[in-house]
Every structure is written in structure tokens, then in C-alpha cells.
Amino acid sequence: MITMDDIIREGHPTLRAVAKEVPIPPTAEDVELGKEMLQFLKNSQDPVKAEELNLRGGVGLAAPQLDISKRIIAVHVPSVDPEKPENGISTVMYNPKILSHSVQEACLGEGEGCLSVDREVPGYVVRAARITVSYFDSEGEKHKIRLKNYNAIVVQHEIDHINGIMFYDHIDEKNPLHLKDGVLVIE
């Protein structure tokens, strides 16, 4: 079971490395890792389990955050609308790639956080509002999905991790709270 002790923190060289692709279909070891990563996210969002296991809440986790330099990400974003559970996303992606993105940009109103960063980093992290992503699942089947707004931001954050990029690399150092016209702010 993955706990906060397994997550490496900023400054660790693995977080700045470009992760290696995994073989498709994924090995049994990679499939198990993906399942454990997704379970960690579910546990971190369960108030009882999170307190019991001392977990910080998270919606995404990338293998490099566990000091495993592989192109594996897990995302678990429950739908805020119980009538439309399909508006959430809960999956493990092997070798995910962003195929295309919108010109429209978006950011989270309260900024982004990261399980590998133990400090507040103020500033807007501007990303594409909509993306199309291809990835393989644990069976080795290829998928292509379109994501928008919050789900798109979460997946871009995790794909950044497998490319050695931290969320604060996107923040304008000189003016962290400045936004260009037209950027969608998601509250």
C-alpha cells in the first residue's frame, strides 16, 4: 500500500527526469503499480482512511513521484454531479500523450498543489482548457479521450510529472497572479 512516506519531494532528481515508456501490454508489475497508485488516490479522498493513514488528499499521482521513472499516471476525480458520474475520471494511463489541445487556456482559481510539494506556491498555473489524450490501459488497449476544464488540468499536471516538469514551472515568476485576457478561471 502506498503512503505519503513513499512519495518523494521536490528537489529529488527523479522528479526532473523524463520518465521511460513502459512496454505494452504493461508488465504484471506495472499493472500492480497502477492499481496501487489509483487505490492511494481513493484512500486519500476518503476522510476516514486519509486520517487513519495520514494521507494528503490527491486527485492524481505519477510514477516518478514514487521514485519510479516510468510513464504511468493515475487520476481519480469524482464527478461533482451525482446525476452525471461520467463527468469524473478514474483511471490509470500507461504512456499517455497529449495529441492536441485547445487555444483556450484555463487555470484553477486557487492555484495548484502537488503531493511532492510540501509548501504553498501562490500563482496561476495556466494550461490548455481542453485536451485530447491517447494512452494504454492495463490490458494494453489503446484509448483516446477528450477532457476539459478540471479533468484536463489534472491530467496535464500528471503528464508534466512524467516529463520532469513541476506545476510551478508554469507560474509567471515576476507576476504570479497576472492572467492574460480570455483565460478561463475554474473555481
Side-chain angles (χ1 to χ4, degrees), residues 113-127:
C114 178
L115 294 167
S116 292
V117 178
D118 291 330
R119 62 191 171 97
E120 286 286 315
V121 183
Y124 291 120
V125 181
V126 178
R127 301 182 181 277

Side-chain angles (χ1 to χ4, degrees), residues 2-187:
I2 296 170
T3 68
M4 290 303 296
D5 293 339
D6 299 306
I7 295 173
I8 59 176
R9 302 307 202 271
E10 64 180 322
H12 193 292
T14 303
L15 291 173
R16 288 300 188 178
V18 174
K20 294 173 185 59
E21 290 214 340
V22 294
I24 301 300
T27 63
E29 180 187 334
D30 289 342
V31 169
E32 185 56 32
L33 174 62
K35 283 182 189 166
E36 286 186 28
M37 289 165 61
L38 193 57
Q39 190 58 54
F40 168 86
L41 296 173
K42 291 176 180 176
N43 289 346
S44 81
Q45 293 176 32
D46 175 323
V48 175
K49 280 242 192 255
E51 188 174 337
E52 176 189 315
L53 300 169
N54 197 23
L55 305 178
R56 276 177 43 204
V59 289
L61 185 64
Q65 292 178 274
L66 301 167
D67 200 14
I68 300 168
S69 194
K70 292 182 176 183
R71 299 184 81 78
I72 305 170
I73 68 170
V75 291
H76 183 68
V77 183
S79 174
V80 289
D81 183 352
E83 300 291 309
K84 295 184 180 167
E86 70 277 6
N87 288 353
I89 179 173
S90 183
T91 192
V92 177
M93 299 180 180
Y94 297 88
N95 300 337
K97 284 188 180 77
I98 295 174
L99 301 175
S100 63
H101 62 83
S102 62
V103 173
Q104 167 82 61
E105 293 177 316
C107 66
L108 300 180
E110 77 264 8
E112 290 185 22
C114 178
L115 294 167
S116 292
V117 178
D118 291 330
R119 62 191 171 97
E120 286 286 315
V121 183
Y124 291 120
V125 181
V126 178
R127 301 182 181 277
R130 292 178 304 286
I131 57 172
T132 300
V133 180
S134 73
Y135 68 94
F136 293 91
D137 65 19
S138 60
E139 307 288 312
E141 290 208 23
K142 191 168 190 173
H143 296 267
K144 186 168 134 181
I145 58 171
R146 287 184 176 84
L147 299 168
K148 64 182 187 180
N149 301 339
Y150 189 72
N151 291 341
I153 287 172
V154 170
V155 170
Q156 288 173 87
H157 178 114
E158 298 313 322
I159 288 177
D160 272 358
H161 274 305
I162 60 176
N163 291 319
I165 299 166
M166 299 294 283
F167 76 91
Y168 47 73
D169 296 345
H170 295 281
I171 297 173
D172 180 340
E173 278 183 42
K174 292 184 181 72
N175 202 343
L177 297 174
H178 171 76
L179 283 177
K180 294 184 297 197
D181 285 347
V183 174
L184 176 66
V185 178
I186 299 166
E187 294 303 340

